[in-house]
Amino acid sequence: YNIELPVTLLPAEFVGGEPGEFTPIQFGTKNQMGAGATLRQLIFDGTYIVGLKGAKVYNQLVAQQKGATVFEVKKNTSDAYYVAVVAVENHKMLVDNLTEIEKQLFETTKLYENGLVEENNVDQLRLNSGKIRIEVENAARQMIISRNMLKFQMGIVLRDSLVLTDDIQQLIENATAEIAGRYVYDVSQNIQFQVANAWVDVREMQVRLEKAKYLPSLSALLNVTGTSYAEAFDYFNGDNWFASSFLGVNMKVPIFSGMQRHSSLQRAKINSLITQVERERMQENLNLNLSTSNANFNQALAAFNISMENVEVSRKILRTTNRKFQEGMATSFEVTQAQSQLINDQFSLVGSALNLFEAKTQIDEILNN
């Protein structure tokens, strides 16, 4: 609604006036309404084409990152499972030691009551029994903690029960069988390398995008407009509407951007080179880590086997010392020393088992097992 129509000055001679003079004239109606629609169609745009390809590459990157996350969860769960199994074995060995020393303490106490041994022998065994009992309690707490960590990794409610069906020996036999002969390695199958490779594609796509910004873009448009003029507020009268339309082509040609496009392109090229170098370094690191992990696994396996032998020898020494003690040929201090040696060898066995499982999970991580 035009409260006051605009005034236009026409040369006066147009309406019969004197030349050089102007006549004020108002054009239009009090009411005016317009409605239109424009259809635009992109014909060519380099950034749009590169963007479509980049979306596919980015989707692949996201899928591979998801796979890497899933694999990391599996690895953490395996680590937690191994720790829980080792904790159970450690507690079992300490309980066996405690049972043995308490049996020895009971028999020695009876001998002391009959005057066959000195009180110092009883006190020494009682002291050793107390130390082992503390270790048993600590091992029990570690067993609970490790099992709760496993439940957490598996998404199991802590108050729910969880039964471990494997033992150390069975797991190590399985691990040894799985690792044997797995030296043939295709780095392209590693999930982390695949992620790095996808990042190379993404950075290269960004370079193409920056190059595409130098290209012109072309689009077409179709416009249809209707306009109504009326002195009164009457827009529903078809006689007052006048249609117009046009078909056009729009081309945008980039000319100058203050070196911004050039800087963006150079930055994208540098980022692309960085990801390529990182991918090459990752490939070298994966090959090196596989070799190192295999060596660590073999070393840990040898250490575990030696620790197993040491435990058996320590048990034999303890049995011999206990027999000598019963015969009065050894002191309670020697029994305590033999018991401590067995416990230390068992701790070494537990540590070598953890090292072995850690080396296996590292190999599994590299090989995407």
Side-chain angles (χ1 to χ4, degrees):
Y1 175 73
N2 297 307
I3 298 177
E4 188 67 31
L5 291 174
V7 177
T8 301
L9 295 180
L10 293 180
E13 59 265 30
F14 286 4
V15 292
E18 295 295 330
E21 295 182 356
F22 294 91
T23 300
I25 297 178
Q26 291 180 314
F27 290 100
T29 58
K30 284 291 185 180
N31 296 279
Q32 178 181 342
M33 175 177 285
T38 301
L39 174 65
R40 301 180 185 273
Q41 174 62 48
L42 181 65
I43 299 176
F44 174 80
D45 190 335
T47 59
Y48 180 78
I49 296 174
V50 175
L52 290 178
K53 295 180 179 178
K56 296 179 180 179
V57 172
Y58 188 75
N59 284 336
Q60 294 175 356
L61 173 63
V62 172
Q64 289 166 349
Q65 288 178 329
K66 177 186 176 182
T69 302
V70 171
F71 185 82
E72 184 67 20
V73 172
K74 291 181 179 179
K75 175 182 177 296
N76 293 337
T77 303
S78 297
D79 291 339
Y81 182 76
Y82 290 141
V83 171
V85 171
V86 170
V88 171
E89 185 67 20
N90 183 47
H91 179 263
K92 178 178 178 296
M93 289 188 297
L94 288 171
V95 169
D96 291 342
N97 290 331
L98 180 60
T99 302
E100 183 65 27
I101 195 67
E102 287 184 342
K103 176 183 177 183
Q104 188 71 27
L105 176 60
F106 175 78
E107 294 175 351
T108 305
T109 301
K110 293 299 182 181
L111 292 174
Y112 167 71
E113 292 174 353
N114 292 318
L116 299 177
V117 296
E118 297 180 357
E119 183 180 6
N120 181 59
N121 293 334
V122 178
D123 293 338
Q124 187 68 45
L125 292 174
R126 184 179 291 112
L127 179 62
N128 195 27
S129 174
K131 292 179 180 179
I132 297 177
R133 187 176 291 107
I134 293 175
E135 294 294 339
V136 170
E137 293 176 355
N138 290 334
R141 284 191 292 269
Q142 290 300 320
M143 188 170 57
I144 295 174
I145 293 173
S146 62
R147 190 164 300 192
N148 286 339
M149 288 298 299
L150 177 59
K151 292 179 182 179
F152 175 77
Q153 288 293 340
M154 298 177 65
I156 299 176
V157 180
L158 296 183
R159 63 175 175 270
D160 290 345
S161 61
L162 180 65
V163 179
L164 304 178
T165 57
D166 295 319
D167 55 31
I168 285 184
Q169 194 61 41
Q170 180 181 357
L171 288 177
I172 289 178
E173 290 176 359
N174 294 339
T176 304
E178 291 177 10
I179 298 300
R182 291 169 57 184
Y183 292 92
V184 179
Y185 177 46
D186 183 7
V187 69
S188 64
Q189 300 302 315
N190 180 270
I191 187 65
Q192 297 298 335
F193 181 81
Q194 292 175 356
V195 172
N197 199 47
W199 271 113
V200 171
D201 294 338
V202 170
R203 296 305 185 191
E204 180 60 28
M205 198 61 63
Q206 289 177 340
V207 173
R208 296 180 185 178
L209 177 63
E210 295 300 329
K211 289 181 178 180
K213 292 180 180 179
Y214 284 87
L215 301 176
S217 62
L218 182 65
S219 62
L221 58 93
L222 173 64
N223 176 269
V224 178
T225 304
T227 307
S228 176
Y229 303 94
E231 285 296 328
F233 189 82
D234 182 12
Y235 297 114
F236 303 101
N237 186 352
D239 297 335
N240 294 335
W241 285 91
F242 304 93
S244 64
S245 62
F246 67 86
L247 176 65
V249 177
N250 182 20
M251 174 179 285
K252 295 182 180 180
V253 181
I255 298 177
F256 182 71
S257 64
M259 300 301 291
Q260 180 179 358
R261 281 196 304 269
H262 177 75
S263 299
S264 299
L265 177 59
Q266 295 305 314
R267 184 164 53 250
K269 288 181 177 179
I270 292 173
N271 290 334
S272 178
L273 290 174
I274 290 174
T275 54
Q276 292 177 29
V277 172
E278 290 177 345
R279 180 182 61 181
E280 293 175 359
R281 291 189 60 186
M282 175 174 287
Q283 182 175 358
E284 295 175 357
N285 287 334
L286 287 172
N287 289 322
L288 176 61
N289 290 339
L290 178 60
S291 176
T292 303
S293 298
N294 275 315
N296 291 338
F297 180 84
N298 292 330
Q299 181 179 357
L301 180 59
F304 178 81
N305 291 331
I306 293 174
S307 297
M308 287 283 291
E309 295 176 0
N310 291 341
V311 168
E312 292 302 321
V313 172
S314 296
R315 285 174 178 166
K316 182 179 179 181
I317 293 174
L318 179 60
R319 287 193 298 267
T320 302
T321 306
N322 285 334
R323 186 173 63 253
K324 289 182 178 181
F325 177 75
Q326 294 293 337
E327 297 172 354
M329 299 174 60
T331 65
S332 60
F333 179 75
E334 292 175 315
V335 173
T336 302
Q337 278 188 322
Q339 188 73 49
S340 299
Q341 181 177 339
L342 174 60
I343 293 175
N344 290 334
D345 289 337
Q346 289 174 339
F347 284 156
S348 298
L349 177 66
V350 169
S352 61
L354 288 175
N355 292 335
L356 184 66
F357 293 140
E358 181 180 357
K360 180 185 180 299
T361 55
Q362 289 177 353
I363 296 176
D364 289 340
E365 183 178 11
I366 297 174
L367 299 182
N368 276 10
N369 187 33

